[in-house]
Amino acid sequence: MSTGTPKGPSAPDEKQLYVGQLNTPSTDKVIDAMNGIFDRRFYTNHGPLVAEFEKRIADFLDVKHAICMTNGTVALMVAAKSLGLRGEAVVPAYTFPATAQALSYAGLRPVFCDVDPDRHTISVETVRAAMTDETTAIVPVHLWGRACDIDGLQALGDEAGAALLPDAAHAFGCTYKGRKIGGFGRCEVFSFHATKILNCTEGGCVTTNDDQVAFAVRTARNFHDQETFVDVPLRVNAKMSEAQAAMGLIALDELHTHIARNRERYARYRGQLSDVPGLRFIDHAAGEASNYQYVVFQVEEADFGLTRDQLIARLKDRGIIARRYFYPGLHQAFPYSEDHWTLPVTDRLCDSIVQVPSGDMVTDADIDRVCAAIRSARKDPGGSRPGMDSPGA
Ligand code: T4K
């Protein structure tokens, strides 16, 4: 899937502003942690740092089990397979490809449903419309850290005998009805990718309060028998390494600081852009905790004067690499595009949502620069150099 940003092996140019958290822990702490790993000569296969990280995550989220893995995609794959699901899983097309691809890997057929235009998450109505006799799972995504209607979807799943398996990749530290996301459904799945609020460079985790699910997932993530061995359909090497856990432990210590700074960045963006006609910010749920990991808004061409893609091109011209998350929708991307899907809200969001730079590397001055560039693009809709009005790669 193309999301509109040039890729390459080189490190990001300092003068360019990228989306992505990249919360970088203090180098001294990382060196100390790595020295500990080298001293112990214990690099992976359930070392002490992974055990400590799992305990810290479970305590933080107030869940019984946290099972760490090498990344969020594999964690979702292992979770779906371990639950023994077959047939169809109802899932949004408005998400990162990993959500559906992990389900396909686990032998499920993703069936796409539309999303709510304000929450950007699937709803009872949209899921119900997509369910069939073959549905064995509902896989909502807590997009942008905003929880889906968990109670409604859980009730729908219970009624139909379908497991609720939320993709919580964006939602570490966020709440639903005051409870931390992580303990809902049969299990939930987080990503600790470098661009996430909790950065293990790569990493993921399955969390659950269900002992049987936890035993199955623990067994399935590894070939080496442990105390929790139970029969599972398939096993794989999905283990988290000690180096990943070391990064995660440091990131967890600094989580509150990162969230607080993210909230300030979000407020700064909103403060400077809320009066710009044609820009519609995604609201965080009132009364709930958010990690403010993403700053996203919708560009409404009729009022803004430019399309989303034209705005992205204009920003790119100024060294600001905003992204069209998510484009195209998964229903428009191979292999799922082989089928015909009608998802009007998803189509609209895929064509109009933009994510702007946020996270640790983004200063207040950077935000001012992005906002000024957006305002100037609006004032001067025809102002870019010829040929620059396409979002590029
Ligand atoms: N479910 C959902 C809903 C997800 O959003 C994701 C992942 C998953 C499941 C799967 O979890 P993981 O298997 O990834 O743990 C990025 C992330 O790689 C991905 O984790 C994330 N969602 C997705 C939303 O964003 P790309 O392909 O857009 O990444 P990339 O390399 O273009 O990086 C984004 C920006 O960050 C770029 O503009 C450059 C900057 N960047 C990135 C990295 C990695 C840096 O400056 N330095 C870096 O080291 O997927």
Side-chain angles (χ1 to χ4, degrees):
M1 184 185 92
S2 160
T3 41
T5 295
K7 305 244 182 184
S10 55
D13 182 334
E14 248 178 77
K15 290 178 202 128
Q16 299 221 312
L17 276 179
Y18 290 88
V19 302
Q21 290 296 299
L22 297 176
N23 296 325
T24 40
S26 109
T27 315
D28 290 347
K29 288 187 195 171
V30 176
I31 289 171
D32 280 353
M34 289 307 295
N35 281 334
I37 292 171
F38 296 138
D39 289 346
R40 285 189 294 279
R41 292 170 176 271
F42 204 136
Y43 298 163
T44 187
N45 289 6
H46 314 296
L49 296 185
V50 171
E52 185 186 344
F53 189 42
E54 290 187 342
K55 175 156 185 358
R56 291 269 313 274
I57 291 169
D59 290 347
F60 178 81
L61 297 179
D62 197 20
V63 291
K64 274 177 87 175
H65 305 278
I67 303 137
C68 285
M69 298 201 210
T70 191
N71 62 52
T73 308
V74 166
L76 185 54
M77 215 174 92
V78 171
K81 193 75 190 167
S82 305
L83 291 178
L85 305 170
R86 287 155 200 256
E88 297 178 354
V90 179
V91 63
Y94 188 58
T95 179
F96 194 63
T99 311
Q101 298 271 348
L103 299 172
S104 294
Y105 255 104
L108 284 154
R109 182 173 118 77
V111 172
F112 297 114
C113 70
D114 218 346
V115 293
D116 178 274
D118 298 317
R119 294 166 83 130
H120 296 185
T121 53
I122 61 177
S123 66
V124 170
E125 294 71 32
T126 61
V127 173
R128 198 191 291 282
M131 287 178 95
T132 72
D133 291 346
E134 301 288 307
T135 306
T136 61
I138 300 169
V139 184
V141 179
H142 304 307
L143 207 67
W144 319 132
R146 183 172 177 155
C148 62
D149 171 12
I150 294 176
D151 285 349
L153 293 173
Q154 182 68 64
L156 183 62
D158 290 347
E159 182 189 309
L164 187 68
L165 170 55
D167 175 342
H170 294 189
F172 196 83
C174 305
T175 60
Y176 173 75
K177 297 193 174 172
R179 256 179 72 197
K180 289 227 179 71
I181 285 171
F184 297 100
R186 296 291 301 283
C187 58
E188 301 204 70
V189 178
F190 291 97
S191 165
F192 303 145
H193 182 260
T195 55
K196 298 289 188 289
I197 189 80
L198 190 64
N199 169 10
C200 294
T201 63
E202 291 278 0
C205 187
V206 175
T207 56
T208 183
N209 286 312
D210 184 322
D211 293 342
Q212 295 313 311
V213 171
F215 290 158
V217 171
R218 274 191 194 286
T219 306
R221 78 163 159 184
N222 184 24
F223 293 111
H224 176 77
D225 290 351
Q226 290 181 86
E227 76 284 3
T228 52
F229 182 81
V230 292
D231 282 335
V232 288
L234 263 183
R235 301 173 76 180
V236 67
N237 175 8
K239 297 182 303 285
M240 176 177 270
S241 75
E242 287 288 276
Q244 288 174 287
M247 284 287 284
L249 282 163
I250 298 166
L252 203 50
D253 286 339
E254 296 170 354
L255 184 74
H256 288 297
T257 313
H258 289 309
I259 291 178
R261 276 293 292 130
N262 271 0
R263 193 188 304 115
E264 288 168 11
R265 289 185 193 97
Y266 175 80
R268 195 172 186 95
Y269 269 115
R270 275 202 88 141
Q272 293 194 37
L273 295 176
S274 53
D275 64 336
V276 177
L279 297 188
R280 188 168 158 214
F281 273 86
I282 310 313
D283 286 322
H284 292 280
E288 302 289 0
S290 173
N291 57 29
Y292 298 90
Q293 183 168 266
Y294 297 105
V295 180
V296 287
F297 55 80
Q298 206 165 349
V299 180
E300 288 163 347
E301 184 189 359
D303 293 323
F304 187 71
L306 293 171
T307 64
R308 182 272 312 270
D309 288 356
Q310 287 170 328
L311 173 61
I312 286 180
R314 210 59 63 75
L315 294 176
K316 186 176 166 194
D317 220 11
R318 290 161 177 76
I320 298 160
I321 312 301
R323 296 287 291 267
R324 43 184 188 174
Y325 283 104
F326 298 96
Y327 184 87
L330 300 190
H331 62 308
Q332 306 280 17
F334 188 80
Y336 308 115
S337 53
E338 305 272 282
D339 291 321
H340 179 73
W341 309 94
T342 305
L343 306 172
V345 178
T346 298
D347 287 337
R348 212 159 57 239
L349 295 177
C350 290
D351 285 344
S352 61
I353 290 284
V354 61
Q355 182 184 338
V356 287
S358 188
D360 207 27
M361 314 294 277
V362 176
T363 64
D364 287 352
D366 292 331
I367 293 172
D368 298 349
R369 179 179 142 205
V370 177
C371 294
I374 291 171
R375 284 177 168 280
S376 117
R378 180 176 187 270
K379 269 198 217 137
D380 183 18
S384 71
R385 283 182 278 131
M388 292 305 293
D389 274 355
S390 79

